[in-house]
Amino acid sequence: MTEPVGARRYVFLDPDGTQGRDWSYVIVRAPTGICYEQQYGGTATRSGHVEGYLVPVRSAPALADLRTFFERDLRGSGAEGRSWPEDDLRRLRGAVERILFWESSPGPEGVTGRGPQALVLDESRLADLDEAWIPVLTADGPGILVWQNSD
């Protein structure tokens, strides 16, 4: 069966768990027709998807801090419905802001925009925040920071 042009496609990130633990991406929200799915929330094993484009990001120290926070301090049980004390938000802001995002280029020349910009925790979407699923603001607009879920 042929799908109509413009139909959405769903791509599950690391479906078999073989990418290892060192990857992280930002999915920038955009009307691309491609939805990236991700398991998140620790042992709560939630699943979410967002339409947009995928940008690899890397900061081993920041990712280690995020894992420590969610896996050790929150015991890997997910954060759905959790209220966020200021101390926790400060820790999350600090880890997220150490991850750099390169603004995308508007054309084929390959010239990037303003260079690397720090990610920012999107505190208007705290209800969505969970392990391996953090709402962020990027130089390209709102997105979701994802990495391998701990379950």
Side-chain angles (χ1 to χ4, degrees):
M1 181 168 143
T2 304
E3 290 191 34
V5 173
R8 282 189 174 163
R9 304 293 293 186
Y10 289 80
V11 177
F12 196 92
L13 299 177
D14 197 21
D16 60 2
T18 59
Q19 278 189 350
R21 289 183 46 90
D22 294 333
W23 60 269
S24 54
Y25 304 115
V26 171
I27 307 160
V28 178
R29 293 179 181 272
T32 63
I34 306 296
C35 294
Y36 294 92
E37 291 188 63
Q38 163 75 356
Q39 181 182 323
Y40 69 94
T43 58
T45 58
R46 295 179 182 86
S47 182
H49 69 272
V50 63
E51 182 179 5
Y53 56 92
L54 191 72
V55 179
V57 293
R58 181 120 170 105
S59 173
L63 188 56
D65 287 350
L66 289 168
R67 283 195 178 117
T68 296
F69 178 77
F70 286 103
E71 295 174 23
R72 186 193 72 197
D73 300 348
L74 297 185
R75 297 187 175 102
S77 60
E80 185 176 51
R82 186 176 196 283
S83 62
W84 293 99
E86 184 56 35
D87 286 347
D88 290 350
L89 288 176
R90 190 176 307 112
R91 287 178 66 190
L92 289 170
R93 279 184 212 114
V96 167
E97 290 171 359
R98 289 195 323 271
I99 300 171
L100 297 179
F101 179 94
W102 285 79
E103 182 179 28
S104 66
S105 170
E109 301 83 30
V111 177
T112 59
R114 298 174 292 173
Q117 308 290 315
L119 292 178
V120 175
L121 178 65
D122 186 349
E123 296 186 37
S124 72
R125 296 186 290 152
L126 290 179
D128 298 336
L129 194 154
D130 213 329
E131 178 187 335
W133 190 268
I134 296 184
V136 294
L137 298 172
T138 76
D140 287 355
I144 299 290
L145 172 65
V146 297
W147 65 91
Q148 185 185 46
N149 188 45
S150 69
D151 82 326

